[in-house]
Amino acid sequence: MSVERALWELDATGVASLVRKGEISAPELVDAAIARAEATRPDINAIAEPLYEAARTRAKTVDRNLPLAGVPFAIKDLGIAMKGVPTHSGSRIPAFTADFNSVMTERHLAAGLIPIATSTSPEHGLRLMTESAAFGITRNPWNTAHTSGGSSGGAAALVAAGVVPVAHASDGGGSIRVPAACTGLVGLKTARGRVPLTPLVTESWYGLVVDHALARSVRDSALLLDLTHGPDPLSPYAAPWPKGAFAAAAARDPGKLKLAAYRKSPLGLPISAEAQTALDTAVALAREGGHSVEEIDLPYIDRDFMADFCKTVAAAVAGIIRLEGARVDRSISRDLERATRVIGRFGEITSAGEIYAGLQRLHATSRPLISETAQYDAVLMPIIAHPPLACGAMDPKGADEFIENMLDRLHLTRLLRFKPLLGQLMDKSLWFTHWPAIQNVSGQPSIALPVHVTEAGLPLGIQAAGRPGDEETLLSLAAQMEKISGWLKRRAPLRVPA
């Protein structure tokens, strides 16, 4: 098998096995990945910073006995530091270049992964489509007229296009799972505290954000989690320690599980027939695996829950804008996209007391949610309400301009007048996806699985949300469903390398 075909056909575990056996070398893999990156770059536009020469240098000395030795990799251009590499956060604000590695970066390198690029993100990860004024539109390898999702859309595009078999990603409101659903990949949103974000940050978005990866296979996601999880001395908290290796969980039969399915929109917004078909397919796969599936409701998750989530994110964005302005020692208002500026302004005019009250309401909702779903091993639910949208379809310019003008007329003591405006912004922003934020608030793990291809030939995945700290059951179930579906053999309809 040629190196090019190995990158296209195998997952990271399979590629590393060939390196370990001496059948291909790390330098050959890196050169093939760089060639593939450049060949697909005009079509998908998923690279923020090429790291080609550093990757070639690292490939010459990597120990081929490491678990993922020589596997080409991409690091998201947001929320993680790699020494000497500019981080743009998808923004026109001058880049931040760290003089240190994040703990997660150190663990990636210790596993033998070789970063060949940083992957594109929307500005500060705020959109579920990867489009930015700084880097343009990142496109879906299955159909380049459509989005690869966001905010880890660059990572998803690089994996789906066969540039790298696995890529770093992060998730604060669906940013791993939405791109996975759009591009036919596996995307595990880990339990809160599973992987440290230190020392770049202690926590992000009040603990809503977690980091992990987008992968071609469940076993890759599990193995990478084995190699990166666990607290470091700066971690403020940690997820419960697993009973065994995550890779072992992915390799074993899950037994007979008690599952639930939730198919309603928490916002009361439309759900496409294709999204319902994807969930039906997932339920059928689970039942074929021998599991029971019960239809349930989640009565606590509604528009008020989502409004509190949006206010929490807005407050975090307001803080980030302040910190970025201080870092570059000037106003950054002109550098920011309108959507980012509007969200940040809303965060500024919402009082600290209201943000705290909203956080407490979110946690109060999470507690009965976790308790009442604990009887199930996992809950199946959609990720996106519609098939991957056409690029530019969620351009927020019109709504943002209206809301920005209204903000200019708001008085800080009359915030209740903002409630209908928040509803309009929330509907436009969350029309595409209604569900992933639930697990970011509750801290539960959730795994995105490819299960369906639409009539237009676009992937449409679903998610399985688990008990707090229990990625093992999710990985075991997901691997079984992956095997039954035969999805591992499917690839984006790009030109296959010779």
Side-chain angles (χ1 to χ4, degrees), residues 342-360:
V342 169
I343 293 169
R345 289 180 69 190
F346 176 48
E348 287 286 356
I349 69 169
T350 306
S351 73
E354 172 56 18
I355 295 301
Y356 182 81
L359 279 166
Q360 293 305 311

Side-chain angles (χ1 to χ4, degrees), residues 126 311 313-319 321-322 333 336-351 355 400-410 412 415 418 425:
L126 291 176
K311 283 187 274 190
V313 172
V317 173
I321 291 172
R322 287 187 175 216
S333 179
L336 295 171
E337 297 173 24
R338 179 183 277 115
T340 306
R341 189 167 62 245
V342 169
I343 293 169
R345 289 180 69 190
F346 176 48
E348 287 286 356
I349 69 169
T350 306
S351 73
I355 295 301
D400 286 347
E401 191 167 18
F402 169 69
I403 292 168
E404 188 172 25
N405 289 336
M406 290 298 292
L407 274 169
D408 288 334
R409 296 195 287 272
L410 283 173
L412 294 185
L415 288 179
F418 192 84
L425 181 60

Side-chain angles (χ1 to χ4, degrees), residues 10-17 67-68 71 113 165-166 216-217 219-220 223:
L10 301 180
D11 61 1
T13 303
V15 168
S17 176
L68 291 172
V71 174
L113 293 164
V166 64
R216 191 168 286 171
S217 67
R219 71 173 184 173
D220 277 359
L223 176 59

Side-chain angles (χ1 to χ4, degrees), residues 106-356:
E106 292 285 358
R107 293 176 183 180
H108 290 149
L109 299 176
L113 293 164
I114 300 181
I116 67 161
T118 62
S119 64
T120 51
S121 163
E123 187 167 59
H124 294 291
L126 291 176
R127 300 177 67 184
L128 292 171
M129 297 175 73
T130 300
E131 302 176 4
S132 69
F135 292 99
I137 296 172
T138 295
R139 299 176 181 274
N140 194 327
W142 288 76
N143 183 328
T144 54
H146 290 259
T147 185
S148 60
S151 65
S152 305
L158 291 173
V159 176
V163 176
V164 296
V166 64
H168 163 254
S170 59
D171 191 316
S175 290
I176 287 175
R177 290 160 290 163
V178 170
C182 290
T183 57
L185 300 176
V186 176
L188 175 63
K189 181 262 172 202
T190 56
R192 183 175 295 141
R194 178 66 67 201
V195 176
L197 306 182
T198 48
L200 185 64
V201 294
T202 301
E203 66 175 14
S204 181
W205 286 12
Y206 302 96
L208 299 179
V209 176
V210 300
D211 279 38
H212 185 42
L214 282 152
R216 191 168 286 171
S217 67
V218 175
R219 71 173 184 173
D220 277 359
S221 187
L223 176 59
L224 189 57
L225 190 55
D226 277 326
L227 299 169
T228 55
H229 85 93
D232 83 319
L234 299 179
S235 299
Y237 43 75
W241 201 258
K243 297 175 183 176
F246 293 112
R252 65 173 175 254
D253 187 284
K256 182 175 175 60
L257 301 178
K258 182 180 180 182
L259 307 177
Y262 171 61
R263 61 176 70 246
K264 296 180 182 179
S265 164
L267 294 174
L269 295 175
I271 304 171
S272 70
E274 292 274 22
Q276 295 287 9
T277 297
L279 184 56
D280 290 340
T281 300
V283 169
L285 288 170
R287 286 177 172 152
E288 188 176 345
H291 313 300
S292 65
V293 184
E294 176 185 344
E295 298 276 341
I296 66 166
D297 193 9
L298 298 177
Y300 304 104
I301 310 302
D302 54 18
R303 296 184 68 84
D304 289 339
F305 177 92
M306 291 298 179
D308 280 331
F309 171 81
C310 289
K311 283 187 274 190
T312 299
V313 172
V317 173
I320 290 168
I321 291 172
R322 287 187 175 216
L323 291 169
E324 286 291 272
R327 178 177 65 82
V328 300
D329 196 25
R330 63 170 173 80
S331 170
I332 59 171
S333 179
R334 292 183 180 181
D335 299 300
L336 295 171
E337 297 173 24
R338 179 183 277 115
T340 306
R341 189 167 62 245
V342 169
I343 293 169
R345 289 180 69 190
F346 176 48
E348 287 286 356
I349 69 169
T350 306
S351 73
E354 172 56 18
I355 295 301
Y356 182 81

